[in-house]
Amino acid sequence: MYPTQDFFDILQAVTVDCKDNGEYFTVADRVAVIEQILEKSDYRLIAREPLVLLYAKRPLHEGDRVLLISSHIDCVYNRCFCTDEGDCLRGTFDNSLTNAAVLWAMINAALPDNVVVAFTGNEESDSKGAVQAVVALGQMGCEVQSAIVLDVTNEGWNSGASFTLENDLGIDILTGYNIISSLESFSGKFAFKHNALPDESWDYAEYGIPSLTLCVPVGGDLHSDAGVLLRKSDVALYCRALSVLSATLV
C-alpha cells in the first residue's frame, strides 16, 4: 500500500507556517499539525527540545541502536499553500513535502521499529534542531547507527527522477553496496549526487553518524513564495524508497 489521497491530505495539512529564531519556534502551526496527526498513531513523543520533536514507537533505553530519520519543519516562506495543477501539485514544499512523506510512513507502518523520527527546526539557518536531536539521543544513551535526511531538491527534476540520493557521508563500501542493491527495482527512476548543497546530513556526519539525504525532485525556486512543482506520480515511489532504504539501514 502506497500513498494516494491520504498522502495529499497530509501534505495539505502540514503545508502551514513554521519558523524559529534560532532558540525556539516562534511560529509553530506545523508543530501543532504534526502532533495532531500522530496523536492516535503508534508513535510517541520521546523528547521535545526547543528546536526538535523526536518520535519513536517505544521508549528508548541506554544502549539502543537507532536509525534516525530527519525532516526539517522550518520554512522561509511569507505564505504557505498547496494547489492542484493536474498531473502536478504546486506549493511551498520546502520542507512540508517530506514532512508529509515520513508522517504517511509512520501512520501506515512503513518504517522499521527502531526508527526515531526527528522533526527539526533551524535547518534553513544553522541546523540547531539537528544538533539538539543528536544531543538528546546521546543523553538517552542511544547509538545512532545512521541517519537519513529528507528534503526537497532541484536535482533530477529535468531528467524525470522520482527521488535522489545526495550527500552520502561516512557510508562504508558494504553499506553503499547494500543500498544500491536494495534500490535495484527503482533503476532509472532516481539520480545520485555525492556532493550536493549543504543540508542536515553534513551536521549529523560531524558527529560521526553515517548519513545521506533522500530527496524529492521539484521544479522551481525552492524558497520562492510562488512555490514549486511536484509530479504526483513521484510520491508513491519516494515513499516506497524511504521504506526500502530504512529497512536496508537498520
Side-chain angles (χ1 to χ4, degrees), residues 118-132:
F119 294 103
T120 60
N122 195 242
E123 189 272 349
E124 299 289 4
S125 298
D126 301 309
S127 293
K128 291 181 179 179
V131 173
Q132 290 179 11

Side-chain angles (χ1 to χ4, degrees), residues 44-108:
R44 293 292 176 264
L45 186 67
I46 60 167
R48 179 192 295 273
E49 301 296 332
L51 290 169
V52 66
L53 303 178
L54 291 177
Y55 279 88
K57 279 189 173 181
R58 56 177 175 76
L60 298 183
H61 305 286
E62 188 170 353
D64 284 350
R65 301 180 75 244
V66 301
L67 169 64
L68 181 64
I69 296 179
S70 184
S71 179
H72 79 84
I73 58 177
D74 59 310
C75 68
V76 298
Y77 306 111
N78 293 307
R79 66 185 185 103
C80 297
F81 74 96
C82 174
T83 58
D84 194 323
E85 295 193 0
D87 291 337
C88 291
L89 296 178
R90 179 179 291 278
T92 48
F93 296 144
D94 185 8
N95 187 33
S96 63
L97 182 48
T98 77
N99 301 160
V102 73
L103 284 167
W104 184 92
M106 293 167 78
I107 63 179
N108 285 280

